[in-house]
Amino acid sequence: MGKITAYLIKAFRGWERSTQLAFITAFVLLLISFVVVAASSGSLRQNALIGFVGLIFALQIIFMWGNRSMVTAYTQAQRRYLAEDFVAARDILERHLSAGKSDVSSLTLLANTYRQLGMLGKSEEIVKKALALRPFDHFPLYSFGRTLLIRGLYAQAVDTLRQAIEAGAPSIVEFDLGEALYRNGDYDAAAEVLERVRDPRQEPFRLLMTDYLLYKMGRSAVPDVDEVNAGINYWRELAIRFAETSYGHTLADDVAFMQSLVEAK
């Protein structure tokens, strides 16, 4: 009971002033109507009872409105992740999971966060727990495929990313499959996938790598300077983050070549 009361007080303090006043007013009126119901009779008691019930509903609505901005730990972590505050996202998720609230989405997001922090072993460990809960969920399958790709286990990455796509992953995952196929030396399959998914409207970093890999396979012209400038920072940062892996080494060479295209102009 004490924990519930503390939670309600904490939630109340976070509401807007107008919502707090509305709740207090409705609560006072509820108490008054309760007294009238208990002390009166006849039509007055009936009217007071109707008002009492109506005020209970009003309090519920005000409470839901006041808490409308409250978010789950997963949503909080997701926002920090998208803001690239990976340490904060990790801390939120670790606290959430240490409280025994293990679920596929939280485990997968934590695995993604570990990967972004360069903790590939932890990322693989956590995503496998998500897959143990739901083996055919495209979210953890994609996460695992990305980790395998960055670890340089390209053949395994190809298999896992294909499983993610078969499980219903968004079409953008095919870009990762195309890159994994290229890194694995399956050039014909890589070119087929990358040509199919290439879209000038996609994020600049994906468009750059798509065109760069197609160029390396003799299937496209060399990316122009504007395209390189628009997308190279993502790949440069990724190469630095995973400099200790074979993927990071290869990516650093790719970034150096892309940079040379800019410097040559």
Side-chain angles (χ1 to χ4, degrees):
M1 187 66 179
K3 290 183 178 180
I4 295 175
T5 302
Y7 167 79
L8 293 174
I9 292 172
K10 182 179 180 180
F12 180 83
R13 288 173 177 170
W15 297 353
E16 301 99 334
R17 182 65 176 169
S18 58
T19 306
Q20 291 175 336
L21 290 174
F23 188 88
I24 291 171
T25 301
F27 185 76
V28 170
L29 291 174
L30 181 70
L31 294 178
I32 293 173
S33 64
F34 177 79
V35 172
V36 173
V37 169
S40 63
S41 61
S43 61
L44 178 60
R45 185 174 188 276
Q46 183 177 359
N47 290 335
L49 183 60
I50 293 173
F52 181 83
V53 174
L55 286 165
I56 290 176
F57 282 115
L59 283 169
Q60 292 175 337
I61 292 171
I62 295 169
F63 185 84
M64 288 188 290
W65 173 258
N67 289 329
R68 70 191 184 282
S69 62
M70 293 184 70
V71 295
T72 64
Y74 175 82
T75 304
Q76 292 175 24
Q78 187 179 51
R79 289 176 180 175
R80 300 318 312 154
Y81 182 92
L82 293 174
E84 298 189 3
D85 187 353
F86 302 123
V87 172
R90 179 201 63 193
D91 292 345
I92 291 169
L93 290 165
E94 285 182 341
R95 288 195 299 269
H96 178 65
L97 295 172
S98 66
K101 301 174 182 178
S102 179
D103 61 88
V104 172
S105 295
S106 297
L107 286 167
T108 304
L109 184 57
L110 180 57
N112 291 346
T113 303
Y114 282 143
R115 184 176 65 247
Q116 296 289 6
L117 291 170
M119 304 167 65
L120 299 179
K122 289 286 290 182
S123 177
E124 183 172 342
E125 175 189 340
I126 294 299
V127 79
K128 284 181 176 178
K129 290 182 179 180
L131 287 169
L133 293 175
R134 201 179 299 164
F136 304 108
D137 190 311
H138 68 79
F139 188 31
L141 282 168
Y142 173 57
S143 176
F144 190 28
R146 283 291 303 169
T147 297
L148 291 169
L149 172 62
I150 290 170
R151 289 189 62 191
L153 302 173
Y154 302 128
Q156 295 179 44
V158 167
D159 290 341
T160 305
L161 290 168
R162 279 176 170 156
Q163 290 177 47
I165 293 168
E166 291 171 1
S171 59
I172 195 62
V173 175
E174 291 195 82
F175 162 79
D176 300 271
L177 174 61
E179 185 187 3
L181 285 164
Y182 174 85
R183 304 295 181 193
N184 197 45
D186 300 334
Y187 300 125
D188 289 340
E192 179 185 348
V193 171
L194 291 172
E195 286 176 337
R196 183 172 68 250
V197 302
R198 186 189 185 278
D199 185 346
R201 297 168 297 179
Q202 66 190 133
E203 294 96 329
F205 72 90
R206 284 197 178 94
L207 181 61
L208 172 59
M209 185 56 75
T210 299
D211 286 346
Y212 170 75
L213 296 180
L214 288 172
Y215 161 73
K216 293 288 285 185
M217 292 183 288
R219 306 289 284 264
S220 176
V222 63
D224 62 34
V225 172
D226 290 339
E227 186 176 350
V228 173
N229 284 332
I232 195 172
N233 283 342
Y234 173 88
W235 299 108
R236 181 184 293 115
E237 292 173 5
L238 209 64
I240 293 170
R241 187 178 306 159
F242 301 112
E244 301 303 317
T245 69
S246 59
Y247 175 79
H249 295 160
T250 301
L251 194 57
D253 291 339
D254 292 335
V255 169
F257 183 84
M258 294 177 193
Q259 188 64 44
S260 72
L261 299 176
V262 177
E263 294 170 351
K265 298 296 182 178

